[in-house]
Amino acid sequence: NAGVTQTPKFQVLKTGQSMTLQCAQDMNHEYMSWYRQDPGMGLRLIHYSVGAGITDQGEVPNGYNVSRSTTEDFPLRLLSAAPSQTSVYFCASSLLGQGEGRAFFGQGTRLTVV
Amino acid sequence: SQQGEEDPQALSIQEGENATMNCSYKTSINNLQWYRQNSGRGLVHLILIRSNEREKHSGRLRVTLDTSKKSSSLLITASRAADTASYFCATDAVLNTGFQKLVFGTGTRLLVSP
């Protein structure tokens, strides 16, 4: 019973590099989201998806892309990393919209951009 | 857009004592959730309380909701060292796309000493 799995757990990037953060869930949830967690700011929504093929922007989408080709996977792409993207990133999935019911979170990816 | 503010920011108690954390929010809600985050880990759902409920219990957890004051409290009774974590309240907010997202506060750091 894996739940939500994120990889990698840690990553260091140079400014301008690109990378993809992986997220997979095995609960057949339609709703998936990406959040970033910064000190003193709580978690902020980056992008979300309400099902395969359907994605949309959250509060802080600039510099990030997502796609949802399957129900299970929801990768987050950093197009050209910037120091301001240094953060801890969490993927979440839920059966209902995440304000409607319980959300399941991955363990997080700690990203440092130098 | 930060909706919830937890109080206190940090709380230090001894094992066996009760811990009370408070959350205030700004706009009307359909429900409020509490999550726990152990250091370096993802968030774990604790409890959800709907706007028409005033109190809810789950094991050693007791949550109250006062919609007239736009506030909630989380009480952990008979605290254990394993309860050491950060605790976040999260309220629902509907985006203009209809997606119901979670809006997190900045959390209360609880330290339970043996």
Side-chain angles (χ1 to χ4, degrees), chain A residues 92-105:
Chain A
S93 77
S94 57
L95 192 60
L96 304 173
Q98 277 153 21
E100 297 177 84
R102 174 182 181 174
F104 294 80
F105 284 81

Side-chain angles (χ1 to χ4, degrees), chain B residues 2-43:
Chain B
Q2 200 170 295
Q3 164 86 299
E5 300 245 346
E6 285 91 342
D7 169 58
Q9 290 187 336
L11 181 61
S12 184
I13 59 174
Q14 301 288 317
E15 264 191 331
E17 294 181 338
N18 295 343
T20 299
M21 289 158 265
N22 302 297
C23 168
S24 60
Y25 56 91
K26 296 172 186 168
T27 62
S28 62
I29 61 171
N30 294 305
N31 61 69
L32 184 144
Q33 303 181 44
W34 284 90
Y35 286 82
R36 185 188 75 230
Q37 183 179 34
N38 290 86
S39 181
R41 308 295 291 271
L43 280 78

Side-chain angles (χ1 to χ4, degrees), chain A residues 2-114:
Chain A
V4 179
T5 302
Q6 287 184 238
T7 56
K9 286 189 169 54
F10 301 95
Q11 183 72 49
V12 178
L13 288 179
K14 293 183 179 177
T15 298
Q17 285 185 316
S18 62
M19 79 159 293
T20 299
L21 280 62
Q22 302 291 345
C23 175
Q25 52 94 6
D26 61 359
M27 297 172 282
N28 204 32
H29 286 165
E30 292 294 330
Y31 294 86
M32 295 185 76
S33 302
W34 278 100
Y35 293 84
R36 59 179 288 173
Q37 184 178 32
D38 301 293
M41 301 199 70
L43 279 79
R44 292 180 292 167
L45 181 65
I46 304 171
H47 284 285
Y48 65 93
S49 170
V50 299
I54 307 169
T55 65
D56 213 330
Q57 297 180 350
E59 303 168 79
V60 288
N62 292 340
Y64 308 95
N65 267 358
V66 292
S67 60
R68 184 105 179 264
S69 56
T70 66
T71 299
E72 294 78 21
D73 300 298
F74 189 43
L76 177 73
R77 279 182 285 279
L78 278 70
L79 309 171
S80 177
S84 61
Q85 294 178 305
T86 293
S87 187
V88 183
Y89 291 85
F90 289 99
C91 178
S93 77
S94 57
L95 192 60
L96 304 173
Q98 277 153 21
E100 297 177 84
R102 174 182 181 174
F104 294 80
F105 284 81
Q107 300 278 38
T109 296
R110 185 174 294 274
L111 175 69
T112 301
V113 182
V114 298

Side-chain angles (χ1 to χ4, degrees), chain B residues 59-111:
Chain B
R60 293 184 295 112
L61 305 180
R62 172 178 167 253
V63 169
T64 62
L65 179 64
D66 186 336
T67 54
S68 67
K69 295 181 179 177
K70 293 188 170 57
S71 67
S72 174
S73 68
L74 171 68
L75 168 67
I76 304 173
T77 60
S79 296
R80 306 166 182 168
D83 294 327
T84 294
S86 292
Y87 292 82
F88 295 86
C89 68
T91 53
D92 63 302
V94 181
L95 298 177
N96 55 12
T97 56
F99 179 71
Q100 209 162 346
K101 68 169 186 175
L102 284 171
V103 182
F104 288 88
T106 52
T108 292
R109 294 187 310 279
L110 173 65
L111 173 63

